[in-house]
Amino acid sequence: MLFSALTTLALAASGVLARAVPATHVVHEKRDLELGGSYSRLIKGERISGDVKLPMRIGLKQSNLEKGQDFLLDISHPDSPKYGQHWTQEEVIAMFAPSKDTVQAVTDWIVEAAGIVKERIHHSGNKAWLAFDATTEEAERLVHAEYHQYEHQSSGKKFAACDQYHVPKKIQEHIDYITPGVKGTRMHFGGGPPDASLEKRAMNSRPTKYRPMPDLEKAITTGDLKTCDIAITPACIQALYGITPQKPKAKVNPKNGMGIFEEGDFYAQEDLDLFFSNFTSYIPNGTHPTPAFIDGATAPVNVSKAGGESDLDFELAYPIVFPQTITLYQTDDKFYSNGPSNATGIFNTFLDALDGSYCTYSAFGETGNDPVLDPIYPDPNGYMGPLQCGVYKPTPVISISYGEQEQDLPAYYQERQCNEFMKLGLQGTSIFVASGDTGVGGIPGDGSANGCLGPNATIFSPTQPNSCGFVTNVGATKVYPGRTVFQPESAVVDLPGAPYRSAFSSGGGFSNIFGVPSYQAKAVASFFARHNPTYPYYSGGKNIGKNGGIYNRLGRGIPDVAANGDNIAVYNRGRFGLSGGTSASSPIFASIVNRINEERLAAGKKVVGFINPVLYNHPNVLNDITNGTNPGCGTEGFKSVQGWDPVTGLGTPNYPKMLALFMSLP
């Protein structure tokens, strides 16, 4: 009995004894392997000593997040009297900041329950969270939890976390989440230098399709439209979409630069110069993007190391927007962007650099970047500076040719990111994203041999961030052999080996995370009413595969629009060739919207901002695509039909019609 008593006293002194949870408290979060992503691979280890200090962060419930879509529609719907009245960043922060009552209630709880004086509590600049350092004993007393060390089974990274924690019922409505908690906080517990993962990061670009074609180079001339079914040149794009180049010395608005996101792929100036010399002589050699390097990123590279994605983006955008400038948002140091690491997330460091408040933004159980999925700076293997927050202003138009599948990242990660795209839209930024190149399926080898979902790999796999309703997704079209640029295009359907090594079709389908946005509801309902697919379906992302369904009938539809994405004439690594992918489609459509912004600004109007509500209300300004499918998962996928469809969206741009429409708006 003496031994038991002494043991009890010792355990109590160290804070190890389990605490009785008061009846006034409830479980706020509980560990669940279904969280998905890397958090399901954390292995529980030893209890953390009571005197170890933990960096506590309490994410406060944001105000008005549920009204975000309404706020955005209010300034982007063509019939709204507030169309084009974009918000400032300060107005965005103020609108979504937690209420004063929330801040006061949570602060009082911390002081009373854990004995932590107010002077130790910091309220973040964006008002989204409360921060303080606490001993493990104080933290456990506050949230009635037991903190353990957790180790990521593949990377070896260590975290402080718990299986569940509690908060008082009366303040639960004010708290989003707490870290360290179920999701954990990365820490160094001693026993050697901080860990450095040797796991290689997956390349997140929409994989461009490229094939060298040196014999074709001489046959393709700058202005000949007869060969557009063989190779798409700037002249072909101009003819397809009714747009002509601006005069080389035209006066352009310095506030209307276009932005292009890149990561782990780098352009070569020699390739750009070869392209300019051969196809757009009005663009001087040496023309290059304005660098906006994020967290140690660099560019350009030697021509022998040039990336197919970056070269493609600039060789498509410059002929449309020149002499307007292009900003290159090159993101992350080489260790994280294409070297050995465990940073399998995407876009967060990019969004940090555009919006300083995002660095510490709390939503859906996450404050700031994810400690498992995202890069951490300073990086001992590369960029040693601090994480860059709010260092660049977003351009009015941004094109993104990168992404993943929804299944690759936890839902909370994608939801938090989607909120940021909404906030950028409120500030007048148009964001275009390539919809993916594998039709209704996923990338082969991503979870299954064909990249599809479910035990039999038959369920369609939506793409990310395309499922977010606050971006404009761009699918791919093609001028088929024997057709001309004066005839309707078709959806891309390229079989394996014809001509690329892997199959290529326009990414499309329905999200398993996000519902149908209100601006898209009528178009999606019309698709099902007039062109109902024969496949079995399920209703809602929580019912994946139910009743044999292979797609979500209630999900956000992908894509919104389309543009040409096959047989694109390019120079890469000093050689002429043909490239393809929705990676081409996104910069084409984005560049055309940049030109519309130029005209609006010249007329004293504002940039168009989030364009989806306008396009869905006026689909007649686009070229409807009614031929082709997007195969995957053992099916022919969906069909391109009259009206919106999950292959080519509403269709391809008709610049004269789009310009007239947007110039008619306030």
Side-chain angles (χ1 to χ4, degrees), residues 198-444:
L198 296 178
E199 186 174 335
K200 185 173 176 61
R201 183 180 193 182
M203 288 297 292
N204 295 314
S205 67
R206 302 298 190 206
T208 52
K209 317 291 183 181
Y210 177 76
R211 49 191 170 124
M213 300 287 286
D215 295 337
L216 185 62
E217 182 177 9
K218 294 181 181 179
I220 303 299
T221 59
T222 57
D224 189 356
L225 301 180
K226 295 179 181 179
T227 56
C228 292
D229 60 334
I230 300 173
I232 295 292
T233 65
C236 299
I237 294 171
Q238 293 161 18
L240 280 168
Y241 306 131
I243 189 167
T244 57
Q246 299 184 98
K247 294 181 179 180
K249 295 185 179 181
K251 185 178 180 180
V252 294
N253 194 305
K255 296 181 179 180
N256 190 41
M258 177 180 170
I260 292 180
F261 169 90
E262 304 287 355
E263 181 166 23
D265 189 281
F266 312 90
Y267 82 95
Q269 187 62 48
E270 184 176 329
D271 285 333
L272 301 193
D273 290 345
L274 282 169
F275 187 87
F276 298 153
S277 297
N278 285 278
F279 290 108
T280 55
S281 58
Y282 56 90
I283 301 178
N285 281 358
T287 299
H288 63 274
T290 302
F293 296 151
I294 299 170
D295 298 327
T298 59
V301 295
N302 183 279
V303 68
S304 65
K305 298 180 180 179
E309 180 59 61
S310 298
D311 279 353
L312 175 70
D313 287 339
F314 295 117
E315 290 170 15
L316 284 168
Y318 267 120
I320 298 174
V321 305
F322 186 82
Q324 187 51 267
T325 59
I326 296 177
T327 295
L328 164 60
Y329 295 110
Q330 190 80 44
T331 306
D332 291 323
D333 66 18
K334 289 186 178 180
F335 176 79
Y336 280 118
S337 64
N338 64 356
S341 77
N342 191 42
T344 55
I346 190 171
F347 302 129
N348 275 349
T349 50
F350 165 60
L351 295 172
D352 288 336
L354 298 186
D355 176 7
S357 71
Y358 188 72
C359 285
T360 53
Y361 170 56
S362 296
F364 304 102
E366 188 125 84
T367 288
N369 294 344
D370 191 292
V372 176
L373 302 172
D374 293 322
I376 295 178
Y377 297 107
D379 171 19
N381 300 288
Y383 170 65
M384 286 297 292
L387 178 71
Q388 292 186 288
C389 299
V391 294
Y392 298 114
K393 185 176 181 179
T395 52
V397 170
I398 297 174
S399 177
I400 298 173
S401 292
Y402 295 69
E404 301 190 32
Q405 304 299 119
E406 273 191 346
Q407 66 162 326
D408 295 332
L409 296 168
Y412 64 80
Y413 185 99
Q414 299 176 58
E415 289 167 335
R416 177 177 177 270
Q417 224 168 60
C418 189
N419 274 353
E420 184 65 13
F421 289 129
M422 175 266 291
K423 293 177 181 181
L424 288 173
L426 282 171
Q427 296 171 68
T429 298
S430 307
I431 299 173
F432 297 87
V433 186
S435 71
D437 300 344
T438 53
V440 297
I443 299 172

Side-chain angles (χ1 to χ4, degrees), residues 425-641:
L426 282 171
Q427 296 171 68
T429 298
S430 307
I431 299 173
F432 297 87
V433 186
S435 71
D437 300 344
T438 53
V440 297
I443 299 172
D446 184 12
S448 65
N450 62 2
C452 299
L453 309 179
N456 299 316
T458 56
I459 300 173
F460 297 171
S461 178
T463 48
Q464 184 276 343
N466 313 93
S467 54
C468 174
F470 306 126
V471 301
T472 304
N473 299 305
V474 191
T477 54
K478 176 178 182 176
V479 176
Y480 271 78
R483 307 284 287 180
T484 74
V485 292
F486 304 109
Q487 296 173 300
E489 294 177 81
S490 298
V492 171
V493 183
D494 289 342
L495 300 176
Y500 308 110
R501 183 170 52 187
S502 58
F504 167 36
S505 60
S506 182
F510 300 91
S511 171
N512 285 322
I513 295 177
F514 299 96
V516 182
S518 59
Y519 63 79
Q520 191 189 44
K522 184 178 178 180
V524 171
S526 177
F527 169 74
F528 287 130
R530 298 170 59 194
H531 312 285
N532 195 26
T534 59
Y535 309 126
Y537 61 87
Y538 50 91
S539 298
K542 294 184 179 180
N543 298 312
I544 294 178
K546 191 173 182 178
N547 299 321
I550 62 174
Y551 73 95
N552 181 18
R553 188 82 161 195
L554 303 181
R556 187 267 204 263
I558 305 167
D560 300 298
V561 294
N564 197 281
D566 205 8
N567 295 326
I568 308 293
V570 294
Y571 279 90
N572 179 240
R573 298 190 177 183
R575 300 180 298 173
F576 178 81
L578 299 181
S579 184
T582 54
S583 292
S585 310
S586 181
I588 290 174
F589 207 106
S591 298
I592 288 173
V593 173
N594 173 272
R595 287 284 299 274
I596 293 172
N597 280 342
E598 194 70 43
E599 296 295 334
R600 281 181 57 87
L601 289 170
K605 298 174 183 281
K606 294 186 177 180
V607 296
V608 298
F610 182 54
I611 68 167
N612 291 14
V614 172
L615 297 183
Y616 277 92
N617 276 271
H618 296 278
N620 58 299
V621 301
L622 299 164
N623 305 312
D624 194 10
I625 306 300
T626 59
N627 182 55
T629 61
N630 56 353
C633 305
T635 74
E636 69 172 356
F638 296 108
K639 295 180 180 179
S640 290
V641 294

Side-chain angles (χ1 to χ4, degrees), residues 18 28 49 643:
H28 192 65
S49 174

